[in-house]
């Protein structure tokens, strides 16, 4: 097959949609090398290089399209898909190029979440308008839609009226490095580099309202003093509320905020963690949960979105407004060694369903069956 990907995020986004795009492309190139892959990238980048037998990066070819690369991505890729005689064009981040369908190409769209509709207060009005316009248009054009969770599939049906039979749920994987045991020397290096305490909770994700870090801060006050909290995430104005809450509860010495951590250090920080806490009010999937399960770390997450899908039946879940329930869950895992050991083992077993090979096979079979 000849398969094209909107690879902008793979080449330019270090987290989130970038991780999803890189994982999907790498999985397909590795496990189905017989296909020809065309990676449409709006401008050069040193962040990523796909490896495979038949992989071609496609960039704007003249000065005008190079100067207006966003327009090239929105308007030129429709014709390029036909020119390259693609069997499949897959938009990996809520978008497909504008224009009518041409040639034999089947159009596939990945939708990660509809948070901008469910929680409009987290987005500027202009952004909500643009997002809604683009995703509605893309859903209409798509021959098939990939939802990254059952929750996202339900939201597509409920909020946008997409026919359920048009949507396939195909989960995402995490980087394989999270599965590899880190040696003692590397652990000592990373622990010293970031001044990590012996026992800490870990929370990963942009420090924004939706991720609900305030809940963890409030719960921290009610767990043993030797347990610290390490937070990894990009700062937003919400950080000011977090810092005020930390000061109010006199927890400055127990909270470590890290805003820029190289990927190479992340698996080690996970594997040194006591528990991953992920109290986000809503997610499309929740990749830090998969990273934690693969790292051998118990997970406590919030109820109410797709996090139960990511964490499985043996992780613990709490109401995102109940800090007492969160502290109780943390204390339960901390005091019950048998429970903690069981959660780690069963979490690793559950994470097998998100193995790159399994997901690449699911996706390839999905492509082949598009009518």
């Amino acid at each position: 097959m000849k398969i094209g990907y909107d690879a902008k995020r793979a080449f330019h986004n270090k987290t989130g949609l970038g991780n999803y795009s890189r994982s999907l492309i790498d999985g397909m190139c590795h496990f189905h090398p017989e296909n020809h892959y065309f990676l449409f990238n709006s401008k050069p980048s040193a962040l990523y290089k796909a490896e495979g037998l038949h992989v071609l990066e496609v960039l704007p070819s003249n000065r005008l399209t190079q100067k207006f690369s966003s327009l090239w991505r929105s308007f030129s890729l429709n014709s390029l898909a036909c020119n390259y005689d693609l069997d499949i064009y897959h938009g990996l981040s809520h978008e497909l190029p504008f224009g009518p369908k041409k040639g034999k190409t089947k159009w596939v769209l990945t939708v990660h979440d509809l948070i901008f509709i469910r929680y409009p207060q987290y987005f500027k009005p202009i952004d909500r308008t643009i997002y809604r316009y683009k995703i509605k248009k893309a859903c209409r054009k798509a021959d098939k839609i990939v939802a990254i969770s059952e929750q996202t599939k339900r939201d597509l049906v409920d909020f946008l009226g997409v026919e359920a039979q048009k949507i396939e749920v195909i989960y995402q994987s995490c980087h394989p490095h999270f599965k590899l045991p880190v040696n003692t020397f590397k652990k000592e290096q990373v622990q010293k580099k970031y001044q990590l305490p012996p026992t800490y909770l870990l929370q990963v994700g942009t420090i924004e309202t939706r991720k609900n870090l305030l809940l963890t801060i409030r719960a921290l006050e009610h767990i043993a003093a030797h347990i610290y909290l390490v937070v990894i995430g990009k700062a937003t104005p919400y950080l000011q509320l977090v810092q005020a809450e930390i000061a109010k509860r006199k927890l400055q010495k127990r909270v470590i905020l890290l805003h820029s951590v190289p990927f190479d250090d992340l698996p080690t920080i996970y594997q040194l963690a006591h528990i991953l806490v992920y109290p986000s009010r809503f997610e499309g999937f929740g990749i830090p949960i998969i990273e934690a399960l693969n790292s051998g770390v118990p997970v406590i997450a919030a109820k109410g979105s797709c996090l139960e899908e990511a964490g499985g039946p043996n992780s613990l879940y709490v109401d995102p407004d109940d800090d007492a329930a969160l502290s109780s869950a943390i204390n339960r895992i901390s005091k019950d060694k048998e429970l903690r050991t069981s959660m780690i083992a069963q979490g690793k077993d559950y994470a097998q369903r998100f193995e790159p090979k399994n997901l690449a096979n699911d996706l390839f079979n999905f492509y082949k069956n598009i009518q």
Side-chain angles (χ1 to χ4, degrees):
M1 298 181 77
K2 297 173 76 173
I3 302 169
Y5 291 111
D6 176 4
K8 174 187 173 182
R9 307 291 183 180
F11 284 100
H12 298 282
N13 287 43
K14 293 183 179 180
T15 60
L17 297 178
N19 288 337
Y20 170 78
S21 299
R22 287 185 290 273
S23 176
L24 184 148
I25 294 168
D26 289 345
M28 289 298 295
C29 289
H30 181 73
F31 295 109
H32 294 280
E34 70 279 8
N35 298 316
H36 291 255
Y37 298 100
F38 299 81
L39 310 184
F40 295 97
N41 179 21
S42 53
K43 54 186 176 182
S45 167
L47 175 63
Y48 174 63
K49 180 174 176 58
E51 296 181 0
L53 295 176
H54 310 293
V55 182
L56 176 67
E57 181 183 352
V58 182
L59 291 155
S61 58
N62 59 57
R63 288 186 179 180
L64 184 63
T65 53
Q66 288 167 1
K67 183 176 181 180
F68 299 102
S69 58
S70 62
L71 295 179
W72 174 84
R73 180 170 173 253
S74 295
F75 295 98
S76 298
L77 298 191
N78 196 60
S79 295
L80 285 174
C82 181
N83 295 344
Y84 281 105
D85 197 30
L86 299 183
D87 296 292
I88 300 288
Y89 177 96
H90 191 161
L92 298 176
S93 55
H94 299 172
E95 295 181 56
L96 290 176
F98 296 121
K101 298 178 184 179
K102 296 181 179 181
K104 69 177 184 180
T105 304
K106 297 298 183 181
W107 297 86
V108 176
L109 175 72
T110 288
V111 178
H112 296 263
D113 60 69
L114 296 180
I115 294 173
F116 70 95
I117 297 177
R118 185 179 282 275
Y119 292 102
Q121 67 270 28
Y122 297 151
F123 299 84
K124 296 177 182 177
I126 184 64
D127 290 338
R128 295 200 305 268
T129 301
I130 292 171
Y131 296 159
R132 181 182 280 270
Y133 173 77
K134 283 186 173 182
I135 202 166
K136 287 182 73 173
K137 199 168 185 66
C139 285
R140 285 197 296 269
K141 182 174 183 174
D143 292 288
K144 284 287 187 176
I145 296 171
V146 172
I148 65 166
S149 66
E150 293 289 348
Q151 177 66 58
T152 296
K153 179 177 180 176
R154 289 193 296 271
D155 285 353
L156 281 164
V157 174
D158 294 343
F159 291 131
L160 296 182
V162 179
E163 296 177 355
Q165 59 266 32
K166 188 176 181 177
I167 308 166
E168 184 83 8
V169 175
I170 300 177
Y171 292 112
Q172 64 184 111
S173 185
C174 70
H175 198 285
H177 282 186
F178 289 94
K179 290 183 64 177
L180 302 177
V182 177
N183 62 49
T184 302
F185 178 71
K186 175 70 172 178
K187 287 182 178 179
E188 290 174 350
Q189 273 189 320
V190 169
Q191 196 151 27
K192 183 177 181 180
K193 179 178 179 180
Y194 298 103
Q195 296 296 295
L196 300 176
T199 307
Y200 60 86
L201 311 173
L202 179 63
Q203 185 161 332
V204 177
T206 302
I207 302 174
E208 60 183 345
T209 305
R210 177 170 55 88
K211 300 292 186 180
N212 203 18
L213 178 55
L214 281 177
L215 187 81
T216 312
I217 300 299
R218 290 165 183 156
L220 186 64
E221 191 175 28
H222 303 289
I223 65 175
H226 73 278
I227 299 177
Y228 290 67
L229 171 64
V230 173
V231 180
I232 300 175
K234 179 182 176 182
T236 73
Y238 176 73
L239 178 60
Q240 296 176 7
L241 294 176
V242 170
Q243 290 172 326
E245 192 73 13
I246 291 170
K248 173 184 171 183
R249 297 173 185 272
K250 297 181 172 58
L251 294 171
Q252 294 94 328
K253 293 182 179 180
R254 292 180 63 192
V255 180
I256 299 169
L257 300 169
L258 303 174
H259 303 304
S260 184
V261 174
F263 174 79
D264 286 349
D265 291 339
L266 273 179
T268 307
I269 296 174
Y270 269 91
Q271 290 182 32
L272 288 168
H274 180 54
I275 300 168
L276 178 83
V277 179
Y278 202 69
S280 178
R281 294 187 178 280
F282 199 86
E283 294 292 329
F285 185 58
I287 199 66
I289 291 177
I290 307 303
E291 293 169 344
L293 295 180
N294 277 302
S295 300
V297 179
V299 171
I300 304 172
K303 300 175 182 176
S305 59
C306 66
L307 300 184
E308 291 97 331
E309 291 179 61
N314 298 295
S315 296
L316 300 184
Y317 303 95
V318 299
D319 186 290
D321 291 308
D322 192 342
D323 56 280
L326 178 56
S327 61
S328 176
I330 293 167
N331 287 329
R332 183 181 165 199
I333 296 172
S334 299
K335 294 174 182 177
D336 189 338
K337 291 183 179 180
E338 187 175 329
L339 171 64
R340 176 180 162 78
T341 301
S342 172
M343 288 180 70
I344 290 170
Q346 292 173 326
K348 285 185 174 182
D349 287 343
Y350 182 79
Q352 294 301 309
R353 69 189 57 206
F354 308 114
E355 279 291 293
K357 182 177 182 179
N358 296 335
L359 300 182
N361 289 340
D362 289 347
L363 186 62
F364 184 54
N365 290 330
F366 167 71
Y367 288 158
K368 290 192 297 183
N369 291 322
I370 297 176
Q371 301 297 319

